[in-house]
């Protein structure tokens, strides 16, 4: 009987699938390329007070410095050692960030690059964030240390030594991803080095990991590594808490490797989500918002409790990775806000909000030739601080999507709606849709090229609500639109197709 009860209580046995966010929090934000000092400040001054549960940070370990002549963002995906010393800061700054963020209930999720070291063609030198040496001719990384024996080269069967065919699962795991020296993770020695690194981060207080390039590691190796991880630091987390694991596996279908090979180990990044949502919002391929009625598993996505979802990520916002041209980003602000709003309102998956730096996009034959540009930085390559403008937006080239009113307010909407089922779906068979979350929240979209004027059943208690898209509740008034819900639970929604943001969202915490 007890066993049966335990099996029936999902929260108790979700282990590494559980995001570990503090009670009532329901999303994390990727502060791509931010410095640790800035993240610590942002946790205290913004993320904690505004309902965000955590931060995915850029890789904290020592990495290659690439100068040709400016430093690309992607240098951080070329590890040189597991010293905590990166473009974002040193170990002291890292520890300070984790402590300060944890103390305000905003947890840190580390982007863990453990599939490989730096590119095979890099050569010999010490152009790295802490000056550690390397010699790729000998596959030598003395500060780990790793040597030739710790890499997969003898197992790879392609002539180039690189992954050439994504249909062949063996080469995807045994050959080099874009020429990056591929670690032999079946070796106990390598597993120990990797888990020592991750466990050090856990002991400092991080809550989990995005595992970079998981598809390029054998599920058995991943399982072994995850199994060796420590429980989370009990200064902040309940006894026995397991690190949250979300694996970067790109599975758009039709390749030799399926996301389901990894969904038993931890959550998996659901790349179909942003690709499809972008296609729907752009109305490409005959897609319409009405079709979102069965969004989630109904669209062939992973089970909700195994999916990490996002509209865009640091790769596909600039044409790397997968997703293609449909991916919405801050460059397409109007549609982007609607897509992120939809994601945060909808119960499927655990969401990650993207927070970017800007760059001068420049397309040549469909490819952005500036896709490599690194974070806002000074002449010496050091990253610029985040500055905060008077209107609470960010300066110095940082976009801070998470501070956009519409996006932050929807992160709060999701917290309010936590655990509530999707209810009262309505659509006009085209691109006007609406749905509720239990009797606590309701959202309405007009992505048609005509105005919308409807009365809908919201399921909410009668009263006057502030729309949290055009404004919000401040004291006893609304700074934007006001919506009146009748005693029958219905409300009138008028959304012009020319509105700045053609959607409206209300919830019980924004009721006058
Ligand atoms: C840099 C240079 C390289 C150089 C290398 C070594 O750019 O020219 O050879 O250094 O010197 C990042 C950058 C890379 C950079 C690397 C290291 O993106 O440009 O290389 O740092 O500095 C694959 C992986 C996936 C990976 C993604 C970018 O599966 O894991 O490529 N993402 C992560 C990180 C990423 C990072 C790394 C991994 C490496 O998020 O930032 O790279 O640490 C198919 C496959 C995907 C595959 C893509 C792209 O996707 O399915 O698995 O992703 O191809 O190769 C449709 C299909 C879709 C397909 C897609 C593209 O959408 O549906 O399945 O088309 O063809």
């Amino acid at each position: 009987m007890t066993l049966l009860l335990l099996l029936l209580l999902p929260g108790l046995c979700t282990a590494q699938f559980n995001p570990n966010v503090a009670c009532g929090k329901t999303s994390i934000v990727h502060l791509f390329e931010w410095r640790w000092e800035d993240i610590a400040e942002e946790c205290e001054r913004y993320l904690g007070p505004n309902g965000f549960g955590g931060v995915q940070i850029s890789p904290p370990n020592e990495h290659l410095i690439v100068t040709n002549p400016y430093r690309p963002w992607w240098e951080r995906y070329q590890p040189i050692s597991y010293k905590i010393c990166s473009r974002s800061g040193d170990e002291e700054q890292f520890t300070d960030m984790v402590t300060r963020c944890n103390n305000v209930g905003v947890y840190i999720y580390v982007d863990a690059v453990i599939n490989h070291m730096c590119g095979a063609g890099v050569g010999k030198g010490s152009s790295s964030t802490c000056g550690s040496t390397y010699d790729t001719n000998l596959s030598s990384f003395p500060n780990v240390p790793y040597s030739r024996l710790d890499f997969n080269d003898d197992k790879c069967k392609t002539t180039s030594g690189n992954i050439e065919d994504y249909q062949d699962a063996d080469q995807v795991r045994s050959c080099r991803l874009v020429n990056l020296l591929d670690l032999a993770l079946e070796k106990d020695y390598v597993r120990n080095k990797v888990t020592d690194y991750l466990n050090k981060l856990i002991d400092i207080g991080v809550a989990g990991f995005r595992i970079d390039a998981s598809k390029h590691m054998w599920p058995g190796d991943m399982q072994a590594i995850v199994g060796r991880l420590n429980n989370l630091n009990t200064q902040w987390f309940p006894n026995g808490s397991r690190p949250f694991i979300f694996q970067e596996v790109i599975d758009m279908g039709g390749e030799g490797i399926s996301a389901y090979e990894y969904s038993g180990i931890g959550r998996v990044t659901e790349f179909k989500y942003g690709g499809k949502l972008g296609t729907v919002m752009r109305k490409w391929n005959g897609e319409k918002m009405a079709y979102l009625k069965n969004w989630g598993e109904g669209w062939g996505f992973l089970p909700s409790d195994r999916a990490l979802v996002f509209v865009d990520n640091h790769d596909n916002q600039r044409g790397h990775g997968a997703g293609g041209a449909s991916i919405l980003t801050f460059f397409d602000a109007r549609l982007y806000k609607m897509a992120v709003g939809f994601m945060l309102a909808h119960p499927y998956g655990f969401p990650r909000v993207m927070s970017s730096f800007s760059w001068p996009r420049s397309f040549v034959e469909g490819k952005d030739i500036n896709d490599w540009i690194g974070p806002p930085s000074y002449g010496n390559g050091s990253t610029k601080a985040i500055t905060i403008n008077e209107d609470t937006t960010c300066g110095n080239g940082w976009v801070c999507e998470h501070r956009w009113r519409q996006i932050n307010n929807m992160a709060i909407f999701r917290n309010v709606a936590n655990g509530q089922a999707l209810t009262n779906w309505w659509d006009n068979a085209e691109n006007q849709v609406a749905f509720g979350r239990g009797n606590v929240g309701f959202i309405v979209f007009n992505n048609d090229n005509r105005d919308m004027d409807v009365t809908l059943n919201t399921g909410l208690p009668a009263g006057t609500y502030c729309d949290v898209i055009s404004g919000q509740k401040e004291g006893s008034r609304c700074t934007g639109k006001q919506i009146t819900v009748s005693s029958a639970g219905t409300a009138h929604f008028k959304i012009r197709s020319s509105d700045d943001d053609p959607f409206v969202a209300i919830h019980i915490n924004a009721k006058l």
Side-chain angles (χ1 to χ4, degrees), residues 141-167:
F141 297 88
N143 272 283
V144 180
Y146 284 140
S147 71
R148 201 183 288 283
L149 300 170
D150 303 314
F151 293 88
N152 270 335
D153 292 317
D154 52 329
K155 281 175 232 119
C156 171
K157 296 189 185 74
T158 65
T159 38
S160 64
N162 291 332
I163 299 164
E164 293 170 1
D165 177 7
Y166 273 92
Q167 296 303 331

mmCIF file of all heavy atoms in Angstrom, residues 141-167:
data_model
loop_
_atom_site.group_PDB
_atom_site.id
_atom_site.type_symbol
_atom_site.label_atom_id
_atom_site.label_comp_id
_atom_site.label_asym_id
_atom_site.label_seq_id
_atom_site.Cartn_x
_atom_site.Cartn_y
_atom_site.Cartn_z
ATOM 1 N N PHE A 141 46.251 17.794 -22.401
ATOM 2 C CA PHE A 141 45.703 18.869 -21.573
ATOM 3 C C PHE A 141 46.235 18.661 -20.158
ATOM 4 O O PHE A 141 45.575 18.072 -19.303
ATOM 5 C CB PHE A 141 44.169 18.846 -21.607
ATOM 6 C CG PHE A 141 43.618 19.100 -22.986
ATOM 7 C CD1 PHE A 141 43.426 18.040 -23.876
ATOM 8 C CD2 PHE A 141 43.331 20.390 -23.416
ATOM 9 C CE1 PHE A 141 42.953 18.265 -25.162
ATOM 10 C CE2 PHE A 141 42.854 20.626 -24.701
ATOM 11 C CZ PHE A 141 42.666 19.560 -25.582
ATOM 12 N N PRO A 142 47.462 19.133 -19.887
ATOM 13 C CA PRO A 142 48.157 18.791 -18.643
ATOM 14 C C PRO A 142 47.426 19.221 -17.374
ATOM 15 O O PRO A 142 47.655 18.636 -16.329
ATOM 16 C CB PRO A 142 49.486 19.559 -18.753
ATOM 17 C CG PRO A 142 49.598 19.976 -20.175
ATOM 18 C CD PRO A 142 48.228 20.023 -20.750
ATOM 19 N N ASN A 143 46.559 20.230 -17.486
ATOM 20 C CA ASN A 143 45.905 20.674 -16.259
ATOM 21 C C ASN A 143 44.686 19.871 -15.860
ATOM 22 O O ASN A 143 44.084 20.143 -14.830
ATOM 23 C CB ASN A 143 45.570 22.162 -16.330
ATOM 24 C CG ASN A 143 46.750 22.970 -15.843
ATOM 25 O OD1 ASN A 143 46.988 23.057 -14.646
ATOM 26 N ND2 ASN A 143 47.521 23.501 -16.783
ATOM 27 N N VAL A 144 44.338 18.824 -16.663
ATOM 28 C CA VAL A 144 43.253 17.950 -16.176
ATOM 29 C C VAL A 144 43.846 16.820 -15.330
ATOM 30 O O VAL A 144 43.427 16.710 -14.156
ATOM 31 C CB VAL A 144 42.398 17.439 -17.350
ATOM 32 C CG1 VAL A 144 41.288 16.530 -16.822
ATOM 33 C CG2 VAL A 144 41.772 18.620 -18.129
ATOM 34 N N PRO A 145 44.834 16.022 -15.750
ATOM 35 C CA PRO A 145 45.386 15.927 -17.095
ATOM 36 C C PRO A 145 44.674 14.884 -17.954
ATOM 37 O O PRO A 145 44.203 13.887 -17.468
ATOM 38 C CB PRO A 145 46.808 15.444 -16.801
ATOM 39 C CG PRO A 145 46.691 14.617 -15.562
ATOM 40 C CD PRO A 145 45.562 15.199 -14.762
ATOM 41 N N TYR A 146 44.630 15.187 -19.281
ATOM 42 C CA TYR A 146 44.196 14.223 -20.289
ATOM 43 C C TYR A 146 45.335 14.039 -21.295
ATOM 44 O O TYR A 146 46.070 15.001 -21.561
ATOM 45 C CB TYR A 146 42.996 14.744 -21.085
ATOM 46 C CG TYR A 146 41.649 14.717 -20.403
ATOM 47 C CD1 TYR A 146 40.763 15.786 -20.570
ATOM 48 C CD2 TYR A 146 41.228 13.615 -19.653
ATOM 49 C CE1 TYR A 146 39.499 15.775 -19.982
ATOM 50 C CE2 TYR A 146 39.960 13.608 -19.054
ATOM 51 C CZ TYR A 146 39.110 14.683 -19.218
ATOM 52 O OH TYR A 146 37.859 14.675 -18.649
ATOM 53 N N SER A 147 45.434 12.830 -21.819
ATOM 54 C CA SER A 147 46.393 12.578 -22.894
ATOM 55 C C SER A 147 45.679 11.803 -24.000
ATOM 56 O O SER A 147 44.493 11.496 -23.882
ATOM 57 C CB SER A 147 47.559 11.741 -22.368
ATOM 58 O OG SER A 147 47.105 10.424 -22.108
ATOM 59 N N ARG A 148 46.410 11.475 -25.041
ATOM 60 C CA ARG A 148 45.860 10.785 -26.213
ATOM 61 C C ARG A 148 44.943 9.608 -25.835
ATOM 62 O O ARG A 148 43.930 9.365 -26.487
ATOM 63 C CB ARG A 148 47.032 10.276 -27.067
ATOM 64 C CG ARG A 148 46.674 10.009 -28.511
ATOM 65 C CD ARG A 148 47.845 9.453 -29.279
ATOM 66 N NE ARG A 148 48.922 10.407 -29.557
ATOM 67 C CZ ARG A 148 48.871 11.345 -30.499
ATOM 68 N NH1 ARG A 148 47.798 11.482 -31.251
ATOM 69 N NH2 ARG A 148 49.911 12.134 -30.707
ATOM 70 N N LEU A 149 45.326 8.897 -24.763
ATOM 71 C CA LEU A 149 44.570 7.710 -24.337
ATOM 72 C C LEU A 149 43.139 8.019 -23.918
ATOM 73 O O LEU A 149 42.304 7.129 -23.825
ATOM 74 C CB LEU A 149 45.263 7.085 -23.111
ATOM 75 C CG LEU A 149 46.694 6.626 -23.291
ATOM 76 C CD1 LEU A 149 47.309 6.272 -21.949
ATOM 77 C CD2 LEU A 149 46.680 5.427 -24.239
ATOM 78 N N ASP A 150 42.877 9.269 -23.647
ATOM 79 C CA ASP A 150 41.564 9.635 -23.108
ATOM 80 C C ASP A 150 40.577 10.096 -24.179
ATOM 81 O O ASP A 150 39.498 10.590 -23.857
ATOM 82 C CB ASP A 150 41.744 10.733 -22.042
ATOM 83 C CG ASP A 150 42.681 10.272 -20.944
ATOM 84 O OD1 ASP A 150 42.496 9.121 -20.491
ATOM 85 O OD2 ASP A 150 43.601 11.024 -20.571
ATOM 86 N N PHE A 151 40.974 9.935 -25.436
ATOM 87 C CA PHE A 151 40.111 10.394 -26.535
ATOM 88 C C PHE A 151 39.678 9.238 -27.430
ATOM 89 O O PHE A 151 40.278 8.168 -27.427
ATOM 90 C CB PHE A 151 40.823 11.492 -27.330
ATOM 91 C CG PHE A 151 40.992 12.747 -26.501
ATOM 92 C CD1 PHE A 151 42.111 12.914 -25.681
ATOM 93 C CD2 PHE A 151 40.015 13.726 -26.500
ATOM 94 C CE1 PHE A 151 42.252 14.045 -24.879
ATOM 95 C CE2 PHE A 151 40.151 14.867 -25.704
ATOM 96 C CZ PHE A 151 41.273 15.026 -24.900
ATOM 97 N N ASN A 152 38.676 9.502 -28.241
ATOM 98 C CA ASN A 152 38.008 8.469 -29.030
ATOM 99 C C ASN A 152 38.600 8.199 -30.404
ATOM 100 O O ASN A 152 38.079 7.358 -31.121
ATOM 101 C CB ASN A 152 36.539 8.888 -29.260
ATOM 102 C CG ASN A 152 35.643 8.383 -28.151
ATOM 103 O OD1 ASN A 152 35.969 7.385 -27.502
ATOM 104 N ND2 ASN A 152 34.526 9.063 -27.951
ATOM 105 N N ASP A 153 39.662 8.911 -30.766
ATOM 106 C CA ASP A 153 40.094 8.879 -32.164
ATOM 107 C C ASP A 153 40.226 7.494 -32.778
ATOM 108 O O ASP A 153 39.850 7.279 -33.924
ATOM 109 C CB ASP A 153 41.397 9.666 -32.316
ATOM 110 C CG ASP A 153 41.137 11.148 -32.085
ATOM 111 O OD1 ASP A 153 40.124 11.636 -32.608
ATOM 112 O OD2 ASP A 153 41.908 11.790 -31.356
ATOM 113 N N ASP A 154 40.736 6.531 -32.001
ATOM 114 C CA ASP A 154 40.917 5.195 -32.575
ATOM 115 C C ASP A 154 39.589 4.497 -32.851
ATOM 116 O O ASP A 154 39.530 3.542 -33.611
ATOM 117 C CB ASP A 154 41.784 4.350 -31.641
ATOM 118 C CG ASP A 154 41.248 4.358 -30.212
ATOM 119 O OD1 ASP A 154 40.649 5.386 -29.815
ATOM 120 O OD2 ASP A 154 41.403 3.340 -29.509
ATOM 121 N N LYS A 155 38.511 4.986 -32.260
ATOM 122 C CA LYS A 155 37.219 4.322 -32.460
ATOM 123 C C LYS A 155 36.443 4.877 -33.644
ATOM 124 O O LYS A 155 35.554 4.227 -34.180
ATOM 125 C CB LYS A 155 36.356 4.483 -31.213
ATOM 126 C CG LYS A 155 36.734 3.518 -30.114
ATOM 127 C CD LYS A 155 35.946 3.798 -28.862
ATOM 128 C CE LYS A 155 36.882 3.946 -27.689
ATOM 129 N NZ LYS A 155 36.810 5.241 -27.059
ATOM 130 N N CYS A 156 36.793 6.102 -34.044
ATOM 131 C CA CYS A 156 36.029 6.751 -35.115
ATOM 132 C C CYS A 156 36.398 6.153 -36.470
ATOM 133 O O CYS A 156 37.570 5.992 -36.787
ATOM 134 C CB CYS A 156 36.317 8.252 -35.113
ATOM 135 S SG CYS A 156 35.627 9.086 -36.545
ATOM 136 N N LYS A 157 35.378 5.826 -37.282
ATOM 137 C CA LYS A 157 35.643 5.156 -38.561
ATOM 138 C C LYS A 157 35.503 6.062 -39.774
ATOM 139 O O LYS A 157 35.632 5.611 -40.908
ATOM 140 C CB LYS A 157 34.723 3.942 -38.699
ATOM 141 C CG LYS A 157 35.007 2.887 -37.629
ATOM 142 C CD LYS A 157 34.257 1.584 -37.898
ATOM 143 C CE LYS A 157 34.459 0.592 -36.756
ATOM 144 N NZ LYS A 157 33.668 0.996 -35.550
ATOM 145 N N THR A 158 35.248 7.346 -39.588
ATOM 146 C CA THR A 158 35.149 8.207 -40.771
ATOM 147 C C THR A 158 36.554 8.653 -41.196
ATOM 148 O O THR A 158 37.469 8.706 -40.365
ATOM 149 C CB THR A 158 34.300 9.472 -40.506
ATOM 150 O OG1 THR A 158 34.963 10.286 -39.532
ATOM 151 C CG2 THR A 158 32.916 9.119 -39.998
ATOM 152 N N THR A 159 36.728 8.956 -42.471
ATOM 153 C CA THR A 159 38.064 9.316 -42.944
ATOM 154 C C THR A 159 38.521 10.663 -42.390
ATOM 155 O O THR A 159 39.686 10.849 -42.072
ATOM 156 C CB THR A 159 38.126 9.353 -44.495
ATOM 157 O OG1 THR A 159 36.895 9.893 -44.960
ATOM 158 C CG2 THR A 159 38.325 7.966 -45.068
ATOM 159 N N SER A 160 37.577 11.585 -42.210
ATOM 160 C CA SER A 160 37.962 12.909 -41.700
ATOM 161 C C SER A 160 38.174 12.896 -40.191
ATOM 162 O O SER A 160 38.778 13.809 -39.638
ATOM 163 C CB SER A 160 36.858 13.921 -42.031
ATOM 164 O OG SER A 160 35.671 13.561 -41.341
ATOM 165 N N GLY A 161 37.661 11.870 -39.521
ATOM 166 C CA GLY A 161 37.713 11.859 -38.055
ATOM 167 C C GLY A 161 36.558 12.640 -37.448
ATOM 168 O O GLY A 161 36.372 12.665 -36.232
ATOM 169 N N ASN A 162 35.772 13.290 -38.305
ATOM 170 C CA ASN A 162 34.619 14.077 -37.850
ATOM 171 C C ASN A 162 33.322 13.318 -38.083
ATOM 172 O O ASN A 162 33.296 12.345 -38.850
ATOM 173 C CB ASN A 162 34.545 15.399 -38.627
ATOM 174 C CG ASN A 162 35.667 16.329 -38.264
ATOM 175 O OD1 ASN A 162 36.192 16.291 -37.147
ATOM 176 N ND2 ASN A 162 36.044 17.164 -39.222
ATOM 177 N N ILE A 163 32.253 13.800 -37.469
ATOM 178 C CA ILE A 163 30.921 13.266 -37.752
ATOM 179 C C ILE A 163 30.558 13.689 -39.170
ATOM 180 O O ILE A 163 30.610 14.875 -39.497
ATOM 181 C CB ILE A 163 29.880 13.822 -36.766
ATOM 182 C CG1 ILE A 163 30.236 13.432 -35.335
ATOM 183 C CG2 ILE A 163 28.476 13.375 -37.142
ATOM 184 C CD1 ILE A 163 29.509 14.243 -34.271
ATOM 185 N N GLU A 164 30.249 12.714 -40.013
ATOM 186 C CA GLU A 164 29.895 13.037 -41.392
ATOM 187 C C GLU A 164 28.447 12.726 -41.703
ATOM 188 O O GLU A 164 27.868 13.294 -42.618
ATOM 189 C CB GLU A 164 30.811 12.253 -42.354
ATOM 190 C CG GLU A 164 32.265 12.722 -42.271
ATOM 191 C CD GLU A 164 33.238 11.814 -43.028
ATOM 192 O OE1 GLU A 164 32.773 10.826 -43.642
ATOM 193 O OE2 GLU A 164 34.451 12.092 -42.983
ATOM 194 N N ASP A 165 27.867 11.774 -40.941
ATOM 195 C CA ASP A 165 26.513 11.326 -41.258
ATOM 196 C C ASP A 165 25.723 11.111 -39.974
ATOM 197 O O ASP A 165 26.012 10.199 -39.201
ATOM 198 C CB ASP A 165 26.622 10.009 -42.062
ATOM 199 C CG ASP A 165 25.264 9.417 -42.373
ATOM 200 O OD1 ASP A 165 24.248 10.085 -42.096
ATOM 201 O OD2 ASP A 165 25.231 8.271 -42.874
ATOM 202 N N TYR A 166 24.719 11.978 -39.770
ATOM 203 C CA TYR A 166 23.927 11.896 -38.535
ATOM 204 C C TYR A 166 22.996 10.684 -38.506
ATOM 205 O O TYR A 166 22.322 10.436 -37.510
ATOM 206 C CB TYR A 166 23.153 13.197 -38.301
ATOM 207 C CG TYR A 166 23.978 14.227 -37.547
ATOM 208 C CD1 TYR A 166 24.746 15.175 -38.223
ATOM 209 C CD2 TYR A 166 24.028 14.229 -36.153
ATOM 210 C CE1 TYR A 166 25.513 16.106 -37.525
ATOM 211 C CE2 TYR A 166 24.788 15.152 -35.452
ATOM 212 C CZ TYR A 166 25.524 16.085 -36.137
ATOM 213 O OH TYR A 166 26.284 16.996 -35.437
ATOM 214 N N GLN A 167 22.948 9.914 -39.611
ATOM 215 C CA GLN A 167 22.164 8.678 -39.595
ATOM 216 C C GLN A 167 22.907 7.572 -38.867
ATOM 217 O O GLN A 167 22.315 6.591 -38.447
ATOM 218 C CB GLN A 167 21.865 8.211 -41.035
ATOM 219 C CG GLN A 167 20.996 9.145 -41.838
ATOM 220 C CD GLN A 167 19.661 9.402 -41.164
ATOM 221 O OE1 GLN A 167 19.132 8.569 -40.427
ATOM 222 N NE2 GLN A 167 19.115 10.594 -41.390
#
